[in-house]
Structures are given as structure tokens and as C-alpha cells.
Amino acid sequence: MSIEGFDSRLARERRGRLQAERLLAQRSEELYSAHRKLAEHAHALSHTVIEQRAAHADLVGRSTQAQAALALATEKAVVAERRLWDALSAVEGGFAMFDRDLRLVIANPAWMRAFDGVADVAPGASYEAILRVSVEEGLVDLGDTAPEEWIARMIARCQMPTIPPVDIRLFNGIHVRLIDKRTPEGDLVSLAVDITDTIRRERDLERARDAAEAAARAKSAFLANMSHEIRTPMNGVVSMAELLRDTALTEEQALYADTIRNSGEALLVIINDILDYSKIDAGKLVLHSEGFDLRQTILEIFQLMRPGLEGKALELRLDHDGDLQGGLIGDRGRIRQILTNLIGNSVKFTDAGHVTVRVRAAKAPHPQGKVSIRVTVEDTGIGIAPEMQAHIFGEFNQVETDATRRFDGTGLGLAITQRLVALMGGEIWLTSEPGKGSVFGFAIPLEIDPAQVPEPPHPEAPPPKPARLRVLAAEDNKTNQLVFRSMLKGIDLDLELVENGFLCVEAYKRRVPDLIFTDISMPEMDGTEAAQAIRAIEAGLGLPPVPIIAMTAHALEGDRARILAAGIDGYMTKPLRKSDLHMMIRTHAPEALGKIRGLMAANPPAPG
Ligand code: ADP
């Protein structure tokens, strides 16, 4: 090989080596870079592994906690379910739950017991199937209802938005009330409550109430009969004593006659009080409105009080509202009773000074076109202790002190008065100071009577024809006949007395009288029947009606309505009083006043 050849070969080899070295350096470079990347990746990977390990550990921890919580919750749920079930099993009432398709989900033992072990009644059974089993097995007492109708009604009931409770009777006499309710999910919760005791108690109460009502009716009937029975002989006693008083008597005999009459009247007051109280108590007292003059009524009561004023320096005063002219419409008799009681008490409990009755009409009219009439009875008597004032309107309440024990009375007066005022829609009150006096006041709504505005007298009225007044009277009781005849003794009138209603009608037909008085209870034909017969004759012949006045010992409300419904114009209760009888003649035969001699003059008014 030549040198040249060698050099070029060397040069080639050097170039080759240099190239190889460059390549090596490049490869080394690449290798390093790859190595570095690998190292970086490994580093990152180990980081991820660390993180994942931590996450895993966290997850494991959480899962353990969750498992513990689940175990606790499961335990609690089991306990709660057991308790709920224990409670449902322990309750006496039946409990059942149906799903939205009305299939039984669950029922407590009490509910199941009603089906007496019938196998078809179990979870999954439909409501309708259970109703059918109940009917077929005779578990329910349907009474007169047809089975299909009952089943349809029970199912329809469950479809209602608000399910009404229903009571059913089981074969063994137990009464059950079914109370059903839909839950928000549509399930039906059904409760069956045993109401047998309640029903039994209700029946016992009904029986007791019926018995009490029957007893109250018997009591009323007894009171009505007793009042009639006691009043009839008392009529004889009081009236005869009054007539006896008009005969020539020694002073001692006059005292005896007065005592008989006063005792009889006192007894009648007591009977009337007891009657009134029991009627109000039984809700049987009915008010009867009529036109009346309040001022006149008070003056009449003053007149009645005169005997009570004897021996006392006591003055009765009336202060009547000047604007209140004319009459009022109300139950005159009951208003009179209220006033008599209050004024009577004031006179009874006042020895000296005055008893003043004030009447005022409220300025503003009452809602129903009525006017509130306010009456106060003021006295200067013994007064009432503050602690007694609250009880004074209770029944049988009397302020019993040594000072008041000398006063008689039933202690029912104010109780009756308060109830009468309440019945009229009014109120009653009291202010009193012991030793100074009392003021009892009441206010009641009354109508103004347009018919009773006082009329001026007619000077040109023709004078009455001078002829004897013809009076026809029917009364079966001999004593009462004697009383009636005697009370008209000395009066110039023509009296025909007959013994029953039939004879009264016959006498009327023979000759029409000016005035008829009739007893109510009489044999053959009673007073109301006679009045009806006479009214029928008058209507048939076009005759003017003769005033008919009833004389009755009946004191009950129904009688009054019956008496007035028969066409009778007025009535007097027995025992008859001469002044009342004469007043009736004056009222009902005013045109005949001129023909009667010997009639008692109208009572002069008391000092105002
Ligand atoms: P009585 O029939 O006994 O009078 P009341 O119910 O009318 O029954 O009255 C009850 C009691 O109230 C009386 O017994 C009396 O003690 C007392 N009382 C009633 N009014 C007055 C009065 N104006 N002054 C003093 N006490 C009175």
C-alpha cells in the first residue's frame, strides 16, 4: 500500500472515528435524556402511589365508619319497629294498615281477634274480601241492612276524601267505631275503637233522662192537681172569711175572721210561689203579651200594699217618666208580679222613710222597635250586707239574722223575679247599704202600645139606658155559688146562677145576658166548651159577643191559653175577691155602669 493510500485510509478512519465519537456522544446524550425522563416519571409515579395509598387509607376509614353507623341505624330501626309493634299489640283497640289498592299490609292482634282466626283474613287480603268474610261468617250484626248494601256502603266510604267514622256492632254485642285515614302515600290506616261502654253509658243516661223527665212531668201534674185541689177549698175559706167580715161581729170575732182570711191568703201566696218556680225551672213558663198601663199597675200595687203600711211612718212614692204616655205591651201579670215582689220586699223591710218607684224609658229605642223600660224600687229600710248581695237572687235565700227572722216569706220571690226578668230579655240589679236601704232595679224591653194612647173624654156620649144588668153565672160548687151570690149582694142586678156549662148555654138561648161568668171545671159541659157553644150561636145569628169571664182555680200556663182560645174575654183566679169581681163588671159592662147600684167604686190611687 502506498503512503497516499495509507494516509487517505487513516484520514478515512479518523473521520469514521470522529463520526462514531459524535454518534456516541449523541447517543449518550439521548440516553441521558431518556434516563432523566425515566427518573422524572418514576418520581411522579411514586408520588401518585403515595397519594393513592393515602386516599385508600381514607376510604378504608370512611367505610369502617359507615359500616358502624349502618349497624347502629339498623339496630335502632329494629328497636323502633319492635317498640312500635309492641305498642300496637298492647293497645286494646284494633289497628290495621291497607295499601293504596286496599290490601291488608299489617294488623295488630286486637284487630285480628275480631275475625276469630278466619284464615282468609291475613296480609294481602283485600278490604272487600275481609268485609265479605265478616258478613258470611256472621261476625257483624247488620240489623236490617242487606249484606250487599252494607259492603257497597263500606267500600264507598273508604273512597271518600275525608272518611267519616262508622259504628258497627259485632256478633258478640261489642260496638266498634271505625276511624280511617289516608296517609300522604295513599295507604289506609284503620283504627277500631271499642265504644261498648260509651254506648252503654249513653243508654243509661238516656234511660235516666227519660226517668227524670217522666218524674218532672209527674211532679208538674202533681203540682197542677194540688194547686187546683188546694185552691178550691181555699176559695171557700178566704171568700167566706171576707164575707163574714162584712157581717156584724164583735171585735174578737172580727180578729178571728181576719186571721182566717190572712192565713188563707198567705198560704195561697206560698202555693203560687212554688208553682211559679217549678214552672220556670221546667222551662214551661210562657209569657203572654197584652196592652197595659204601667203607671196604673204600680198604683194598684201601692193600693195592695196599704195593709203593710199600717203602724209604719212609711210613704209610697211614684216617680213616673213624664214622656212615657199611654200603654205598653208586655206580660202585664208577670210584670205586676215582679213589681209586687220588689215593692212588697221594700215595704216589708222598711219601717220608716219611703219606698220610691221610679220608671224611666230609655231615650234610644231598642233594636226590635221596643223601648227599654227601667224601673227602680228604692227604700230606706234595713239594707242588705255586701256578702249577701251576690246570693240574694238564689232560691230559698233569706238574709237570716235576728233582725230579719221576724219576716215571713218563702225565699223564692227574688229567684222568681230574676228569672222572669231574664225571660223577658231584661236584667236585674241591686245596690244596698246595711242600715241605709236598698235599690232593686230592672230593665226590660217593651213595645209601646199604639192603641192605648189616652183619649179625651166624649162629653156628648149618650147617657146609659136605665135597665137592670143581666148577669149569667155557671158554677157547680155550692160553696162557690154562695160566695159568688154573696159578693154581688146589695148590687142592683139580675143574677141567674146555673150548675154547669150545658145549663149556661140553655140559659143564654132563653135570654141573652149582658155578662157571663163561668167556672172552668164543671160536670157535663165545662166552661170552655160552653163559651165555644155561645160564640158559635152568636156567629150564626150575627149577634154581638157577650163578655165571658172565666173563674178558675187553675193556675197553670196551658190553662190560660186554652181559656182565652175558647173565646173567653178575661179570667179571675179563685179565691174570688169582691173588688176583683166588681172591677170585672166595671171593665166588661162599662155601658151598664149607670144601671148598677151598689158596685164598689174604683180604687182611689195611692199618694204619688
Ligand atoms: P222572701 O219571700 O223571703 O221575701 P225574696 O226572695 O223576695 O224572699 O227575698 C229574699 C231575701 O232577701 C229576704 O228574705 C230578705 O232577707 C232579703 N231582701 C229582699 N229585699 C229586701 C229589701 N228591700 N231590703 C232588705 N232585705 C231584702
Side-chain angles (χ1 to χ4, degrees):
M1 168 185 330
S2 66
I3 295 250
E4 279 170 2
F6 185 74
D7 281 348
S8 72
R9 193 180 156 195
L10 200 64
R12 245 188 353 259
E13 279 180 2
R14 204 172 48 234
R15 271 198 310 272
R17 193 172 40 93
L18 280 174
Q19 200 173 359
E21 275 177 358
R22 265 199 315 272
L23 195 67
L24 183 67
Q26 190 185 344
R27 288 284 179 264
S28 299
E29 184 86 347
E30 279 174 12
L31 202 65
Y32 179 72
S33 159
H35 182 75
R36 208 180 60 238
K37 271 189 188 152
L38 207 65
E40 275 173 5
H41 192 66
H43 187 70
L45 210 62
S46 71
H47 239 318
T48 309
V49 168
I50 289 166
E51 273 176 5
Q52 279 182 350
R53 262 202 208 127
H56 177 72
D58 186 39
L59 272 178
V60 168
R62 281 200 211 172
S63 154
T64 316
Q65 269 176 10
Q67 269 174 4
L70 183 66
L72 197 67
T74 310
E75 195 186 318
K76 276 187 181 168
V78 169
V79 171
E81 191 184 337
R82 201 191 61 235
R83 281 189 176 147
L84 190 62
W85 187 245
D86 285 350
L88 288 174
S89 303
V91 291
E92 281 179 21
F95 168 88
M97 190 150 190
F98 293 83
D99 64 16
R100 57 171 60 239
D101 301 323
L102 284 182
R103 286 190 180 281
L104 183 63
V105 178
I106 194 174
N108 74 348
W111 197 88
M112 294 301 280
R113 252 196 312 279
F115 296 93
D116 212 18
V118 176
D120 296 348
V121 181
S126 76
Y127 193 75
E128 184 177 347
I130 294 172
L131 292 174
R132 281 193 190 285
V133 168
S134 310
V135 172
E136 282 156 18
E137 298 285 329
L139 300 175
V140 191
D141 181 354
L142 298 186
D144 296 334
T145 316
E148 284 306 322
E149 188 191 329
W150 183 74
I151 291 170
R153 209 190 295 155
M154 291 294 283
I155 291 175
R157 176 180 158 272
C158 290
Q159 318 293 347
M160 294 183 181
T162 310
I163 306 170
V166 64
D167 295 347
I168 54 175
R169 198 179 124 96
L170 303 183
F171 70 101
N172 48 10
I174 288 181
H175 291 263
V176 174
R177 174 161 299 165
L178 297 183
I179 303 163
D180 301 86
K181 221 172 176 163
R182 289 257 175 214
T183 66
E185 286 73 39
D187 291 341
L188 183 81
V189 177
S190 182
L191 295 179
V193 185
D194 185 342
I195 53 164
T196 314
D197 281 348
T198 314
I199 294 225
R200 197 171 296 143
R201 259 198 305 278
E202 270 172 18
R203 292 217 176 122
D204 288 350
L205 280 176
E206 271 167 26
R207 266 196 287 273
R209 187 201 56 206
D210 290 348
E213 280 176 0
R217 275 196 300 277
K219 190 180 78 179
S220 290
F222 173 76
L223 283 174
N225 289 339
M226 286 308 284
S227 82
H228 185 253
E229 295 306 319
I230 296 173
R231 280 162 160 270
T232 304
M234 283 313 288
N235 179 26
V237 174
V238 175
S239 308
M240 280 300 176
E242 196 175 332
L243 290 173
L244 193 61
R245 197 63 180 80
D246 288 348
T247 60
L249 297 177
T250 65
E251 205 174 308
E252 197 179 3
Q253 285 167 332
L255 180 68
Y256 295 164
D258 284 346
T259 310
I260 294 171
R261 192 191 59 194
N262 294 341
S263 306
E265 283 183 345
L267 183 55
L268 282 168
V269 168
I270 295 169
I271 293 168
N272 286 342
D273 268 5
I274 295 171
L275 261 173
D276 277 347
Y277 186 77
S278 56
K279 269 188 289 176
I280 297 175
D281 206 30
K284 292 251 164 63
L285 195 117
V286 185
L287 298 174
H288 296 277
S289 287
E290 58 183 325
F292 75 104
D293 184 337
L294 182 57
R295 188 171 192 278
Q296 187 59 33
T297 305
I298 296 170
L299 291 176
E300 281 169 21
I301 296 170
F302 279 3
Q303 193 65 23
L304 274 180
M305 296 294 153
R306 296 203 152 272
L309 300 179
E310 271 166 32
K312 293 185 180 183
L314 185 58
E315 198 188 337
L316 295 180
R317 296 179 192 160
L318 173 60
D319 171 5
H320 195 271
D321 192 335
D323 294 343
L324 190 62
Q325 285 298 328
L328 296 165
I329 297 178
D331 191 322
R332 175 181 182 275
R334 294 299 174 186
I335 292 170
R336 188 188 168 100
Q337 187 177 357
I338 293 169
L339 286 163
T340 308
N341 188 38
L342 296 182
I343 300 171
N345 276 346
S346 283
V347 169
K348 191 156 76 172
F349 296 106
T350 310
D351 278 339
H354 64 89
V355 171
T356 303
V357 180
R358 286 197 177 81
V359 180
R360 294 284 178 273
K363 293 285 168 269
H366 207 262
Q368 289 125 17
K370 294 183 175 180
V371 43
S372 178
I373 303 291
R374 193 183 150 95
V375 182
T376 54
V377 180
E378 180 187 322
D379 66 48
T380 51
I382 59 172
I384 300 164
E387 65 275 14
M388 279 311 297
Q389 292 179 16
H391 311 286
I392 208 91
F393 295 108
E395 57 272 10
F396 306 112
N397 277 336
Q398 290 174 320
V399 182
E400 282 282 335
T401 65
D402 287 345
T404 60
R405 202 158 293 155
R406 65 200 159 99
F407 303 106
D408 51 10
T410 57
L412 278 176
L414 286 176
I416 294 169
T417 301
Q418 187 204 33
R419 282 161 177 75
L420 286 176
V421 169
L423 210 61
M424 292 176 190
E427 52 177 341
I428 190 165
W429 62 89
L430 156 70
T431 51
S432 183
E433 202 177 319
K436 292 229 164 118
S438 313
V439 183
F440 281 85
F442 69 93
I444 46 173
L446 292 176
E447 267 174 77
I448 302 276
D449 185 0
Q452 266 203 39
V453 179
E455 272 182 40
H458 299 293
E460 69 280 12
K465 280 178 260 143
R468 276 159 70 88
L469 184 81
R470 287 196 304 270
V471 174
L472 170 61
E475 167 65 68
D476 62 318
N477 183 294
K478 289 277 178 255
T479 313
N480 291 343
Q481 279 188 4
L482 182 59
V483 167
F484 189 81
R485 199 182 282 285
S486 308
M487 284 183 170
L488 294 179
K489 211 157 70 183
I491 305 177
D492 188 22
L493 49 70
D494 184 358
L495 172 66
E496 181 174 5
L497 251 169
V498 293
E499 264 141 47
N500 61 45
F502 176 76
L503 295 176
C504 180
V505 179
E506 289 302 302
Y508 168 88
K509 285 195 220 158
R510 275 197 309 277
R511 198 176 63 161
V512 176
D514 294 313
L515 198 52
I516 299 174
F517 287 91
T518 179
D519 184 24
I520 293 297
S521 307
M522 288 183 292
E524 281 192 60
M525 182 187 270
D526 75 15
T528 51
E529 289 166 334
Q532 279 162 342
I534 291 170
R535 293 292 179 239
I537 297 170
E538 287 166 349
L541 298 177
L543 295 172
V546 176
I548 305 179
I549 314 300
M551 307 180 287
T552 176
H554 289 240
L556 292 183
E557 274 313 319
D559 296 316
R560 183 194 148 109
R562 199 169 58 86
I563 289 168
L564 297 181
I568 291 176
D569 301 278
Y571 78 103
M572 299 191 291
T573 39
K574 292 175 181 175
L576 297 186
R577 297 180 131 267
K578 201 165 160 181
S579 54
D580 289 345
L581 180 58
H582 291 199
M583 164 100 79
M584 277 294 173
I585 296 175
R586 272 201 313 274
T587 311
H588 290 278
E591 73 288 352
L593 279 185
K595 354 180 187 172
I596 318 170
R597 282 191 292 105
L599 196 64
M600 276 167 84
N603 291 330

